Every structure is written in structure tokens, then in C-alpha cells.
């Protein structure tokens, strides 16, 4: 090989390698709200099925036929599960320990209670179970014994032992799933071969060791898919704030696949429109014409919580669009609440431009594949389980770039139960709009919207680099869509904006104050009105008299039921400090205290509580409750001090000079006392009563950003210097109790420095975690700083806190 040619080969290899460098733990594709949220959990868009953030299958499939050969460029064809023994059916249960032969087919269970699954003590349980142990049996028949691979399908909390016809097929100790989070375990062939047409028994013992309790189980058959398309070669992946783009080679044709969720916060109508664009651009890579046909499929699972639910589909059109629509036959609007839960009401829409000539059809997943391979069209399937919504563009000969556009939308009809009133989504708040109308608007505005998204993405990246460097800018790109999509935008009955979060993967609460608090920087940067929408529900809860305590509630319910706090324990100083500090931040962003004036009575009550109880906190929960209770928490004390100071800052802007002087002086006095109580020589302690401890004092950041000047800058410098001695490969630990941390708090702590290079010392390890963690889920904010393993939490809105340094630059440069 000639030297020049060798160098070119090396450069090409390096280019592909760089292009394929991992950029995030998971990649956002369709991101609008906690239910309409689809992700790719790996680096290759065609390497695995696309999923909801919970991990449930929300399959999208893309196949291109090039000169007679099929290439799969999107997703992995959905796993074809068929019920052998459905979940959520009646079985026999007992809460009294049975004899040892209870797992056998001949055991007499007629004295046991017949009751319908799922079983649990709260949430979505059909049958209540509140004791420590539950034994469950279900007899079932099988029509056809020639089954393919069969799997146990189970959702359980906590420990389980599972038997099929007397033989153990699964056990799990010290483990659990969330409600309705089903997992699949292959049943050994030796057990499968012993199945009979009649008198089979699935038997489960579940034990509640801690927290919640739950059981729902069944058996499914996994059917093999024949004639799978070739896997296209992915050569490039790029994620920006609003777009995720893949480049793939499909034989002699290149495909550029772009997912755009146009979440632009300066346009609430656009932000609220639940429509994403899927652009499939094709172009020959050999300068020759080629015959091309593009297929896109979306699974009905996107509109269901369980694959066993019966789906109903229809086909219709507008003047400019053809579309498919699917939803559950049952339509249990706002009947379920919980964390690991997908929507099973409302309707998924798949739309294409009418003049594209595309043929749309709804079939079973198996028939969708057969039709594509054989070039035929099965009858439209109006009803069934696990349907596919198919769009086949006409075959055509191309010699230049050709774009195929699909619009994916979701109409949830009603979004939130808000203190007894069912609220429609923002885009249809008056009930006079329709999703087909919104799809039309999305199509008509496509070019301009894509251009606006590109301009915004570019500006965000440039600002991020200027604030904290290239790696920091990439952290912002990871966090942007994830944070927004953990919220729902609505209008309250009083006409106020509501931007209600779901506490994804930590307990499912709605409008959690100590989730709003870390999320706030993103919205303070781009639209403070959205932060007001995150606070309005909490203010209403107190000011309506529904919440009567002298500090704010932790939440207003469990998503999507916002009818009052469901969290088991209050966080008095935490939530009071959060609310007052955030209103002070809004005041800073707005340049006036009009929002504070509107809620002055509540702010006064909460500030007085902080003034009285906040300096030396009692044994209360705080936002870091996963690490346990702490009395005399130094960082929680800072939050109270910042709250009292923030109240004084707002009082001054409102012309309440005497009040302003009183509270500002009180906050400064508290800060001086804090420095004595927390002093531990070369740093400040985790708790006032143990000087051999340390912790991140991330709550100090508002003192700096708002300009309260309560603490001397020496406090920041002393802490930062100490943190440098504790920094690990994947970040700074939260405190001395464990080596895990919260990535949002790390960036808040890092923002205490005015040095960009010092900031990067703390910030860059977070990007390293994003690139190297083995946990392929939407960005976790709680991870171990030595191993890069996820400790817990995924897909949460708190990654909006990553924008704290950008906010600092906006306010103080």
C-alpha cells in the first residue's frame, strides 16, 4: 500500500471511530412528557429495540429496500410475545403458610380465596394484600403444546419463588421490580416439555421484606421472526439539545435519520405540542441511481401499559396528512398512578404528508414483516394485541437526496387530575382543538421549526463551551430534552401556567418541590415562567387551605393524580427553603418581585419558619434523604439561611424596607453563627456535632448567583480547596458517608468557583461518567464516583440543574 493511501485509510478509520464515540448513556428520540418519551438505550439505533424511559418496549422500526435488499436502519423488530397464561387474571391466594405440596398440580386449593391480580397494598392493585407473605396458584390449559420459547412474565415486590407444575423455574432474594414493571425469564426446556393440555399450575410465593408489596405473573411464548433484514452499518451519531441524528450505510444508499422534538421554551404552544419529527433522508453513495423503498413502523405498545391490552386502531386524514391512530380499547383515563407506569389511555398518531404517496396500514407485528418481505398488504386490523402501525413509502428510483418524513404524535385527552378536576393538555386546554389539527400545524411549519431548532442547538452549545468548556456543553445537550420531558404543561382552573414534574424512577410523585429545586436552572435560563408553573401548584395547595402546615408540602400527589401529598414524611426546612429561594431566583430573573408579591403571605409564613427553625435543623429529611436522616445538617442550614436572605432581598424590591433590613440582617447573623458551628479547620462539616465529617455545600450557590452576599467568599474557597482532595474519577462524592454522588449537586458546587479551569476539574468527570457507565439508561443523576455505576434514578428532570453554570454566566458576566 502506498504511504498516502495508508494515511487516508487511517484517517477514515479515525473519523468513523470518532463519529461513533459514545456521547450519552442513552439517546432521546421522542421526548414530550413522562408518558410520551422514547429512547435508544445503546450507541447503535438499529442495535436494540427503542424503549420508554422505564425500559418497557416502545418499538419503532425502520427498513429500507435498496435494489431488492432490505436493510434495517431503526430499532429491532419487536419481540413477538403471545400469552400462554395472561397476567392480571383471577387466581387463588392465601396469606397463611400452606403445606409443602402446595406447588404441585394435585394440591387442593379450593379453600383458598379466588381473587384477581395484581395483588398489592396500594397503587394499581386490584386485590389488596397487606401481610408479609402471599401464596398464589393458577391452573391453566394449553391449546397447542408445540410452543416455541416460553418465558415467565412477572412483576413482584419483594422476594419470590416460582414453580411450574411443581418444578422451580425462578427465585429471587433481596430483589424486586416496580409496580407493573414486568420482567421475562426463560423457562427451561426440561420443564416446558412436561406441560400438558390440561391441569397445569403456575405457583408463586412472594414475601414482603420492605416498603411496597406486589405480585402479577403469567407465561408468554416468544415467537421467532423469520427473514430478518440486514443490519445497516451506522457510521455517525450526533446529539444536540433538540435533535438526535444517525448516519447509516445501506448498501449503495446512505441514510440520515433525524429525530427532532422541538422543545423551544420561548414558544409554549410549540413546546406543548406533542409531535416529533422523524426525518429519513436517503442518498446514493456511489453516484448511481438506485431503487429505494422506505418502511416505518411504530408499535401500539406506545399507547399501552401492558402488551396484553386489547388495542383499537383506525385510519383517517386531513387535507394535508394521512394518519393512523391507535389506543387501548379500555381507555382508563387517569385511573392509574405510579412510577414505573406507561400510559394506557389516549391515542398514538403516525402521520405522513398526503402527497408522499405512502400506504398506511395496521397489522399484527408478524404480518407487518411478512407484508414488507412479500410486497403485499394484509387487511387493515381494527383490533388486536401488539399491533404495528405501518407506513410504506412508494418505491422510486433516486439519484439525489430524497427525504421521507414521519410525524409521531400523542393525544392523552386528559393529562392530570388536578384536585378533582381533569385537566386537558396545554395545546387543547379549552377542549376545542384536535391532534390532527396540531399535526397539520407541525407539517406546515416543518422547515421553519427545524431551522429554529438548529439555531437554538448551536447557540446552546456555544454558550455551554464559553461557560464551562466543551465537555460541559455536551452535558447540557444530554440534560436538555430529558429534563423537559419529565414535565407536563397545562393551564390551571385559575388560568395559571402549570408545568408539573413527574418524579421519575424515585417514587412517581407529581410536582415534588425538592425535584423542582435542582431542575430550576434550565428554566431560569430560558423561560422563568415555566419555573413559576412548577411552583404554582404548591402555592395553590397551601393558599387554598388544603395544606395547612407552616411549610410547603413535599408534593401534590402521585403522577398523574394531583389531589394532595402522598409522600410519607414532610421535609419542613428543605421545602420551605426551596420555595423561598426559587421565588428569589425568579425575582432575580424577572428583575422585579411581582411574582413574590402575589404569594407574599405564603412566603412570609415559610420564611418565618426558616428564621425560627433553620439555623440548627432538627432530625428532618432533606432532598438527600436516600442517604438517611441527619440532625444538625450544615448544608440544610445553608438552605434556610439563603431562604431568609432571599426573603429580605424580595422585600427590598417591594419597598418593604424595614422587613428587608430585618431579614437580611437575620440571615447574615445566621451565616456568621453557621461558620462557627460548622467549622472543622480546613473545611466545614457535614453536621454541626461531628467535625470529622464533610459534605458538598451546594446550597451556597444561590448566595452567589442572586448576590445575597451572606457568606464571605472565603467560605467558598475553603470548601472548594478541600473538595479537590476528595474528587474521584467520576466526580466528587456527596459527603463522607459513601462514594456516590448527585451529578446535579456536583455542578452546583463547582459553580461556586470563578475559575473556568477549576470548574472543569469537577464538571468533566460527569461527562466521563455519561460516556463510560455500563448502565444504559436516560442519564442517572445518582452514581458511584469510583466505579461509574448507577446507584439509582434515571430519566429525572433534575438534570435541568446542569445548567447552573450557564445561569451564573447569564446573571453575573
Amino acid at each position: 500500500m502506498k504511504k498516502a493511501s495508508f494515511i487516508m485509510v487511517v484517517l477514515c478509520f479515525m473519523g468513523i471511530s470518532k463519529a461513533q464515540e459514545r456521547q450519552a448513556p442513552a439517546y432521546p428520540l421522542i421526548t414530550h412528557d413522562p408518558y410520551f418519551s422514547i429512547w435508544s438505550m445503546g450507541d447503535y439505533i438499529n442495535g436494540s429495540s427503542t424503549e420508554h424511559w422505564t425500559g418497557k418496549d416502545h418499538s419503532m422500526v425502520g427498513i429500507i429496500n435498496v435494489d431488492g435488499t432490505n436493510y434495517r436502519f431503526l430499532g429491532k423488530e419487536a419481540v413477538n410475545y403471545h400469552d400462554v397464561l395472561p397476567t392480571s387474571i383471577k387466581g387463588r391466594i392465601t396469606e397463611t403458610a400452606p403445606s409443602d405440596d402446595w406447588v404441585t398440580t394435585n394440591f387442593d386449593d379450593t379453600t383458598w380465596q379466588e381473587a384477581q391480580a395484581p395483588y398489592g397494598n396500594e397503587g394499581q392493585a386490584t386485590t389488596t394484600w397487606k401481610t408479609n407473605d402471599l401464596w398464589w396458584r393458577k391452573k391453566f390449559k394449553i391449546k397447542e403444546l408445540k410452543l416455541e420459547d416460553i418465558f415467565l412474565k412477572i412483576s413482584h415486590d419483594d422476594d419470590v419463588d416460582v414453580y411450574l407444575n411443581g418444578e422451580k423455574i425462578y427465585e429471587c432474594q433481596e430483589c424486586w421490580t416496580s409496580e407493573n414493571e414486568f420482567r421475562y425469564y426463560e423457562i427451561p426446556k426440561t420443564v416446558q416439555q412436561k406441560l400438558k393440555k390440561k391441569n397445569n399450575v403456575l405457583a408463586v410465593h412472594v414475601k414482603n421484606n420492605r416498603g411496597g408489596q406486589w405480585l402479577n405473573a403469567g407465561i408468554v411464548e416468544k415467537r421467532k421472526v423469520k427473514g430478518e433484514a440486514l443490519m445497516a452499518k451506522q457510521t455517525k451519531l450526533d446529539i444536540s439539545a433538540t435533535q438526535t441524528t444517525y448516519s447509516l450505510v445501506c448498501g449503495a444508499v446512505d441514510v440520515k435519520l433525524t429525530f427532532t422534538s422541538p422543545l423551544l421554551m420561548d414558544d409554549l404552544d410549540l413546546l406543548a405540542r406533542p409531535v416529533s419529527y422523524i426525518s429519513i433522508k436517503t442518498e446514493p453513495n456511489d453516484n448511481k441511481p438506485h431503487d429505494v423503498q422506505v418502511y416505518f413502523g411504530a408499535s401500539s405498545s406506545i399507547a399501552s401499559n401492558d402488551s396484553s391490552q386489547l388495542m383499537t386502531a383506525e385510519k383517517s386524514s386531513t387535507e394535508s396528512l394521512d394518519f393512523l391512530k391507535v389506543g387501548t380499547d379500555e381507555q382508563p383515563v387517569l385511573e392509574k398512578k405510579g412510577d414505573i407506569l406507561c400510559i394506557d389511555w389516549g391515542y398514538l398518531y403516525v402521520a405522513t404528508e398526503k402527497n408522499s404517496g405512502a400506504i398506511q396500514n395496521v397489522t399484527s407485528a408478524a404480518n407487518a414483516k411478512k407484508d414488507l418481505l412479500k410486497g403485499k398488504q394484509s387487511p387493515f386490523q381494527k383490533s388486536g394485541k401488539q399491533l404495528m402501525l405501518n407506513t410504506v413509502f412508494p418505491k422510486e428510483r433516486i439519484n439525489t437526496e430524497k427525504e421521507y418524513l414521519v410525524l409521531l404524535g400523542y393525544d392523552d385527552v386528559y393529562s392530570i387530575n388536578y384536585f378533582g378536576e381533569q385537566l386537558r393538555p396545554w395545546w387543547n386546554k379549552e377542549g376545542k382543538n384536535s391532534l390532527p389539527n396540531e399535526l397539520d400545524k407541525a407539517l406546515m411549519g416543518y422547515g421553519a421549526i427545524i431551522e429554529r431548532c438548529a439555531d437554538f442547538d448551536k447557540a446552546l452549545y456555544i454558550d455551554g463551551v464559553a461557560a464551562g468548556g466543551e465537555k460541559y456543553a455536551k452535558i447540557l445537550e444530554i440534560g436538555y430534552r430529558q429534563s423537559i420531558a419529565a414535565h407536563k404543561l397545562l393551564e390551571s382552573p385559575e388560568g395559571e401556567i402549570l408545568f408539573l414534574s413527574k418524579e421519575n424512577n424515585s417514587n412517581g410523585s407529581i410536582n415534588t418541590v425538592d425535584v423542582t429545586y435542582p431542575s430550576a436552572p434550565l428554566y431560569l435560563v430560558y423561560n422563568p415562567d415555566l419555573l413559576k408553573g412548577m411552583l404554582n401548584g404548591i402555592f395553590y395547595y397551601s393558599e387554598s387551605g388544603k395544606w395547612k402546615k407552616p411549610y410547603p408540602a413535599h408534593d401534590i400527589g402521585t403522577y398523574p393524580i394531583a389531589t394532595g401529598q402522598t409522600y410519607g414524611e414532610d421535609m419542613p426546612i428543605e421545602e420551605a427553603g426551596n420555595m423561598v429561594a426559587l421565588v428569589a431566583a425568579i425575582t432575580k430573573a424577572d428583575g422585579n418581585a411581582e411574582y413574590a408579591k402575589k404569594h407574599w403571605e405564603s412566603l412570609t409564613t415559610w420564611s418565618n419558619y426558616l428564621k425560627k427553625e433553620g439555623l440548627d435543623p432538627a432530625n428532618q429529611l432533606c432532598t438527600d434523604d436516600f442517604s438517611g436522616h441527619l440532625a444538625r445538617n450544615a448544608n440544610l442550614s445553608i438552605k434556610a439561611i439563603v431562604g431568609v436572605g432571599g426573603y429580605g432581598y424580595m422585600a427590598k424590591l417591594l419597598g418593604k424596607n424595614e422587613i428587608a433590613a430585618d431579614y437580611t440582617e437575620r440571615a447574615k447573623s445566621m451565616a456568621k453563627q453557621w461558620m462557627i458551628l460548622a467549622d472543622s479547620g480546613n473545611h466545614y462539616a457535614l453536621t454541626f456535632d461531628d467535625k470529622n465529617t464533610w459534605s458538598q455545600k451546594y446550597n451556597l450557590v444561590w448566595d452567589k448567583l442572586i448576590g445575597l452576599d451572606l457568606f464571605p467568599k472565603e467560605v467558598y474557597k475553603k470548601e472548594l480547596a478541600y473538595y479537590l482532595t476528595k474528587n474521584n474519577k467520576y466526580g466528587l462524592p456527596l459527603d463522607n458517608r459513601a462514594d456516590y454522588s448527585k451529578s446535579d449537586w456536583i455542578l452546583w458546587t463547582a459553580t461556586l468557583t470563578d475559575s473556568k479551569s477549576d470548574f472543569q476539574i469537577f464538571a468533566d468527570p460527569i461527562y466521563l461518567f455519561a460516556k463510560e457507565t455500563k448502565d444504559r439508561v436516560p442519564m442517572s443523576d445518582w452514581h458511584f464516583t469510583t466505579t461509574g455505576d448507577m446507584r439509582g434514578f434515571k430519566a429525572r428532570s433534575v438534570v435541568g440543574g446542569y445548567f447552573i453554570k450557564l445561569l451564573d454566566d447569564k446573571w453575573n458576566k
Side-chain angles (χ1 to χ4, degrees):
M1 183 183 290
K2 293 181 181 179
K3 184 176 182 181
S5 298
F6 176 76
I7 292 172
M8 286 299 295
V9 170
V10 172
L11 287 174
C12 288
F13 176 79
M14 290 173 66
I16 291 175
S17 180
K18 182 179 180 182
Q20 282 299 106
E21 185 176 286
R22 178 170 153 185
Q23 298 174 45
Y27 300 94
L29 306 177
I30 310 294
T31 45
H32 291 279
D33 61 43
Y35 290 138
F36 196 30
S37 180
I38 308 175
W39 296 70
S40 173
M41 304 300 185
D43 296 314
Y44 293 88
I45 188 60
N46 54 351
S48 60
S49 295
T50 55
E51 300 176 6
H52 186 255
W53 66 260
T54 58
K56 292 187 178 182
D57 176 73
H58 275 192
S59 178
M60 297 184 291
V61 177
I63 295 175
I64 182 171
N65 184 287
V66 179
D67 299 328
T69 301
N70 288 320
Y71 298 88
R72 176 168 42 83
F73 62 84
L74 165 62
K76 204 170 184 179
E77 287 152 273
V79 176
N80 203 4
Y81 286 123
H82 287 257
D83 287 331
V84 176
L85 172 63
T87 58
S88 302
I89 60 174
K90 287 184 178 180
R92 292 193 176 273
I93 60 171
T94 182
E95 297 173 51
T96 303
S99 58
D100 291 344
D101 63 341
W102 73 277
V103 302
T104 64
T105 57
N106 295 325
F107 179 78
D108 182 7
D109 59 16
T110 55
T111 60
W112 292 20
Q113 176 189 355
E114 186 176 42
Q116 186 159 339
Y119 313 98
N121 64 346
E122 57 183 18
Q124 303 167 60
T126 301
T127 300
T128 300
W129 160 49
K130 293 187 176 181
T131 59
N132 290 335
D133 293 89
L134 183 75
W135 288 265
W136 174 82
R137 284 170 49 93
K138 177 63 183 177
K139 291 183 180 180
F140 63 99
K141 301 176 182 178
I142 298 176
K143 291 183 180 179
E144 179 56 61
L145 291 176
K146 292 181 180 180
L147 299 171
E148 296 184 27
D149 296 331
I150 63 169
F151 288 74
L152 169 69
K153 177 182 178 182
I154 189 166
S155 175
H156 65 94
D157 187 356
D158 298 303
D159 303 351
V160 290
D161 294 286
V162 185
Y163 302 83
L164 180 56
N165 291 347
E167 296 189 53
K168 183 174 283 189
I169 59 172
Y170 179 67
E171 64 178 328
C172 188
Q173 309 301 319
E174 294 297 317
C175 65
W176 62 90
T177 69
S178 299
E179 285 187 18
N180 274 324
E181 178 189 4
F182 285 103
R183 295 181 183 173
Y184 297 82
Y185 302 97
E186 188 168 6
I187 295 173
K189 290 290 185 184
T190 55
V191 178
Q192 180 178 335
Q193 290 165 359
K194 297 177 184 177
L195 288 171
K196 302 165 287 183
K197 286 195 172 183
K198 296 181 179 180
N199 200 34
N200 297 290
V201 173
L202 183 66
V204 182
H205 171 217
V206 58
K207 186 176 184 63
N208 177 41
N209 295 329
R210 63 197 77 75
Q213 51 202 108
W214 183 263
L215 176 65
N216 200 359
I219 296 174
V220 293
E221 177 191 17
K222 179 181 178 182
R223 295 182 179 173
K224 294 181 175 66
V225 179
K226 298 178 181 178
E228 190 164 349
L230 298 176
M231 185 172 173
K233 181 182 178 182
Q234 183 178 310
T235 58
K236 189 176 182 182
L237 162 59
D238 184 48
I239 178 175
S240 61
T242 66
Q243 295 186 312
T244 304
T245 301
Y246 300 87
S247 297
L248 305 102
V249 177
C250 304
V253 171
D254 290 341
V255 170
K256 184 177 182 181
L257 175 65
T258 302
F259 298 87
T260 306
S261 295
L263 306 182
L264 302 179
M265 283 187 267
D266 62 348
D267 185 341
L268 293 187
D269 291 339
L270 178 59
L271 181 77
R273 180 187 295 155
V275 177
S276 278
Y277 301 106
I278 303 172
S279 167
I280 306 161
K281 291 182 179 178
T282 62
E283 185 174 17
N285 54 37
D286 61 359
N287 297 316
K288 297 178 182 179
H290 293 281
D291 291 328
V292 166
Q293 187 168 31
V294 170
Y295 162 83
F296 173 82
S299 171
S300 64
S301 63
I302 298 170
S304 70
N305 184 53
D306 189 288
S307 60
S308 66
Q309 289 180 290
L310 184 66
M311 310 300 293
T312 300
E314 63 181 82
K315 181 179 180 179
S316 191
S317 63
T318 66
E319 286 187 7
S320 60
L321 288 165
D322 292 322
F323 64 81
L324 301 170
K325 172 184 175 183
V326 70
T328 59
D329 185 62
E330 181 186 3
Q331 287 297 303
V333 178
L334 291 171
E335 291 183 10
K336 300 181 177 73
K337 62 180 180 179
D339 190 1
I340 307 300
L341 184 69
C342 293
I343 195 168
D344 60 359
W345 73 89
Y347 300 92
L348 170 69
Y349 287 73
V350 179
T352 59
E353 193 170 4
K354 188 181 286 285
N355 64 16
S356 70
I359 295 173
Q360 292 193 296
N361 195 19
V362 176
T363 65
S364 68
N367 282 345
K369 180 63 184 292
K370 290 177 184 176
D371 289 357
L372 184 67
L373 291 174
K374 295 181 179 180
K376 69 172 189 175
Q377 185 175 346
S378 294
F380 189 95
Q381 190 164 342
K382 294 181 179 180
S383 181
K385 300 176 183 179
Q386 300 183 60
L387 303 177
M388 284 295 287
L389 283 66
N390 309 305
T391 300
V392 182
F393 292 92
K395 182 183 289 187
E396 53 191 312
R397 195 162 182 83
I398 64 167
N399 52 27
T400 59
E401 183 180 86
K402 169 74 177 181
E403 182 176 26
Y404 304 88
L405 183 64
V406 176
L407 283 69
L408 219 66
Y410 204 96
D411 179 5
D412 58 4
V413 186
Y414 290 96
S415 305
I416 301 292
N417 177 340
Y418 187 71
F419 296 101
E421 183 165 347
Q422 292 189 346
L423 298 186
R424 296 181 183 272
W426 176 275
W427 61 269
N428 192 25
K429 53 192 172 184
E430 295 176 356
K432 299 177 181 179
N433 200 355
S434 71
L435 197 67
N437 185 48
E438 288 299 301
L439 287 164
D440 273 337
K441 291 179 185 177
L443 178 63
M444 288 185 289
Y446 173 60
I449 290 170
I450 293 296
E451 186 175 346
R452 288 170 61 190
C453 287
D455 289 345
F456 173 79
D457 292 354
K458 182 178 179 181
L460 180 147
Y461 185 79
I462 290 171
D463 291 345
V465 171
E470 186 176 352
K471 292 176 182 177
Y472 176 63
K474 291 179 179 179
I475 292 170
L476 300 185
E477 290 177 322
I478 290 171
Y480 186 82
R481 273 176 282 172
Q482 176 174 319
S483 182
I484 296 171
H487 296 84
K488 190 69 180 183
L489 185 62
L490 315 104
E491 185 176 85
S492 76
E494 293 72 35
E496 295 185 318
I497 183 174
L498 293 173
F499 194 51
L500 302 180
S501 64
K502 178 177 181 180
E503 191 174 338
N504 289 344
N505 202 230
S506 40
N507 70 10
S509 291
I510 185 170
N511 206 187
T512 304
V513 176
D514 58 289
V515 167
T516 294
Y517 179 68
S519 304
L522 170 60
Y523 307 98
L524 287 166
V525 170
Y526 293 112
N527 189 345
D529 285 345
L530 287 170
L531 180 54
K532 295 171 189 175
M534 296 156 78
L535 304 185
N536 284 338
I538 299 294
F539 277 122
Y540 171 78
Y541 193 19
S542 285
E543 292 165 1
S544 65
K546 300 177 191 299
W547 178 264
K548 304 180 186 299
K549 299 178 183 180
Y551 45 80
H554 166 272
D555 59 77
I556 59 173
T558 299
Y559 199 94
I561 310 301
T563 54
Q565 178 173 308
T566 52
Y567 198 64
E569 187 171 354
D570 295 342
M571 297 185 183
I573 292 173
E574 174 69 44
E575 310 304 24
N578 289 342
M579 289 295 291
V580 180
L582 290 178
V583 178
I586 288 170
T587 299
K588 171 82 171 181
D590 285 349
N592 64 70
E594 289 305 306
Y595 186 70
K597 183 179 180 180
K598 184 177 180 180
H599 300 289
W600 195 248
E601 185 176 344
S602 295
L603 293 169
T604 300
T605 299
W606 299 338
S607 297
N608 285 338
Y609 180 84
L610 294 172
K611 188 177 177 184
K612 179 182 178 183
E613 305 288 346
L615 174 61
D616 197 347
N619 191 3
Q620 295 185 3
L621 278 182
C622 70
T623 191
D624 302 324
D625 56 357
F626 49 81
S627 289
H629 282 231
L630 275 180
R632 314 196 74 191
N633 184 330
N635 190 43
L636 187 59
S637 175
I638 292 172
K639 183 168 290 185
I641 296 167
V642 169
V644 173
Y647 181 79
Y649 162 77
M650 293 183 285
K652 185 175 181 180
L653 286 178
L654 288 171
K656 301 177 184 293
N657 294 328
E658 188 173 329
I659 293 174
D662 177 28
Y663 279 80
T664 300
E665 183 55 40
R666 173 60 177 156
K668 289 183 175 180
S669 173
M670 292 168 75
K672 289 178 181 177
Q673 294 176 74
W674 182 94
M675 292 171 63
I676 296 170
L677 289 167
D679 185 43
S680 190
N682 63 349
H683 70 283
Y684 295 96
L686 167 66
T687 60
F688 296 148
D689 54 0
D690 190 348
K691 299 304 173 66
N692 294 317
T693 59
W694 68 274
S695 65
Q696 291 187 46
K697 308 301 188 300
Y698 55 81
N699 287 317
L700 281 168
V701 76
W702 297 113
D703 185 42
K704 179 187 180 188
L705 265 62
I706 299 173
L708 301 176
D709 294 324
L710 304 175
F711 292 85
K713 295 298 184 286
E714 286 71 24
V715 172
Y716 305 175
K717 293 177 181 177
K718 181 190 283 191
E719 283 291 275
L720 288 164
Y722 188 77
Y723 298 151
L724 289 172
T725 69
K726 300 295 182 181
N727 209 22
N728 289 326
K729 180 179 180 180
Y730 296 108
L732 177 67
L734 184 65
D735 56 48
N736 59 270
R737 290 177 289 178
D739 90 339
Y740 56 61
S741 195
K742 292 277 274 84
S743 49
D744 47 352
W745 298 149
I746 293 174
L747 289 169
W748 286 36
T749 295
T751 301
L752 293 173
T753 181
D754 291 323
S755 164
K756 184 175 178 179
S757 60
D758 286 349
F759 173 83
Q760 290 171 326
I761 290 172
F762 297 109
D764 289 357
I766 297 173
Y767 187 58
L768 187 65
F769 162 76
K771 290 175 59 178
E772 295 187 357
T773 180
K774 71 176 189 297
D775 300 299
R776 306 310 302 269
V777 298
M779 186 71 168
S780 169
D781 54 287
W782 184 21
H783 70 271
F784 289 101
T785 60
T786 52
T787 65
D789 292 339
M790 166 184 161
R791 175 61 181 86
F793 305 161
K794 61 183 176 182
R796 301 207 314 157
S797 68
V798 301
V799 295
Y802 294 170
F803 286 75
I804 192 80
K805 184 67 170 68
L806 205 60
L807 181 64
D808 184 28
D809 270 27
K810 180 177 181 178
W811 283 357
N812 296 318
K813 281 220 172 182

